[in-house]
Amino acid sequence: MAAWTYDEALRRLLAHEGGYTNHPSDPGGPTNFGITIYDYRKYIKRNATAADVRAMTVGEAKAIYRKRYWDSQRCDELPAGVDYAVFDYGVNSGIGRSRKVLQRVMGVTADGMLGPLTMQAVAAREPAKIVTAICDERLAFLKRLRTWPVFGRGWARRVAEVRSVSLHMASERTQTPSIIPAQAPVPGKGAVVGAGTAAPVAIGGGFSDWIAVHPFETAAIGCGLVLVVGGSVYALSRWHQRRQEAAILETPVVPAVAAA
């Protein structure tokens, strides 16, 4: 709801994501400015290579962030602070997860569709409590990932900063959070391997990359053996997606503000 928060959130996110990486333990694969090769292929260049990702411009990254991660999560309609917490979570662990977590802490059906009921529930709750619940759930989820020993220290630091800045945004509702410096880059996508931005685990090379970016087209590929393989990979992709978006049992529900 506060127009300035997008610029501030994006500035901080780019500081966290840093430049080009291709860490063997990072399920995102070749990544630049936090944009994985899979998102780059979807939004910029269909057959992009790691070299294309390395050459990505900041402008291209910002365009992807706005469309895929900010607008798709209706962040312009969320309270200041909540928008940043949801946005950063979506970038780090996938919008399928971040949208459902927002719904879970609101106590509404977690279908990933941020419709009127979800937005009404958000409006009926204190932004600071929403931020706290989202960050608590996010940290609990990250600690369960098998890549936590590799990236955990940086993830914990990132979540702590997002929490602090988001609470500041929610309470002050001004641009003062800029006085809190953004911390060093935090490598590694906090995602279940094989889900969302994760590297495909099925058949090799370029075809498996294509499947990861085009799961729906994959389901309709060819006939005979190709159809069987395509359908199997699609089913595996959906299974990984469900794992990525699965609930943490202790996910808190934020109570609605009592009517005056």
Side-chain angles (χ1 to χ4, degrees), residues 61-83:
K62 287 183 175 180
I64 294 173
Y65 278 131
R66 180 77 204 198
K67 183 175 182 178
R68 174 159 175 74
Y69 295 100
W70 187 269
D71 292 345
S72 71
Q73 299 188 97
R74 302 183 66 172
C75 289
D76 277 336
E77 302 171 58
L78 296 174
V82 177
D83 51 5

Side-chain angles (χ1 to χ4, degrees), residues 117-259:
L117 290 179
T118 301
M119 306 310 287
Q120 289 168 14
V122 170
R125 287 157 173 81
E126 295 180 20
K129 291 184 177 180
I130 300 175
V131 167
T132 297
I134 289 173
C135 290
D136 285 348
E137 191 283 342
R138 179 179 178 181
L139 189 59
F141 167 69
L142 291 172
K143 286 181 177 180
R144 285 166 166 77
L145 297 180
R146 71 183 188 185
T147 46
W148 174 261
V150 180
F151 301 116
R153 180 178 297 181
W155 287 342
R157 174 164 48 84
R158 176 169 177 166
V159 174
E161 183 186 324
V162 170
R163 183 196 301 268
S164 176
V165 172
S166 295
L167 289 174
H168 204 116
M169 288 176 169
S171 63
E172 298 296 329
R173 306 192 183 205
T174 69
Q175 297 186 39
T176 53
S178 61
I179 65 175
I180 304 173
Q183 297 179 7
V186 178
K189 291 297 181 187
V192 173
V193 174
T197 60
V201 296
I203 53 180
F207 184 58
S208 63
D209 283 354
W210 190 92
I211 289 167
V213 183
H214 304 89
F216 294 102
E217 293 92 331
T218 299
I221 287 178
C223 61
L225 179 60
V226 174
L227 180 59
V228 171
V229 173
S232 298
V233 173
Y234 175 72
L236 184 61
S237 175
R238 294 297 296 170
W239 177 73
H240 279 300
Q241 182 177 348
R242 287 193 294 271
R243 286 183 63 213
Q244 172 68 16
E245 299 172 5
I248 298 296
L249 294 181
E250 62 268 30
T251 299
V253 175
V254 179
V257 178

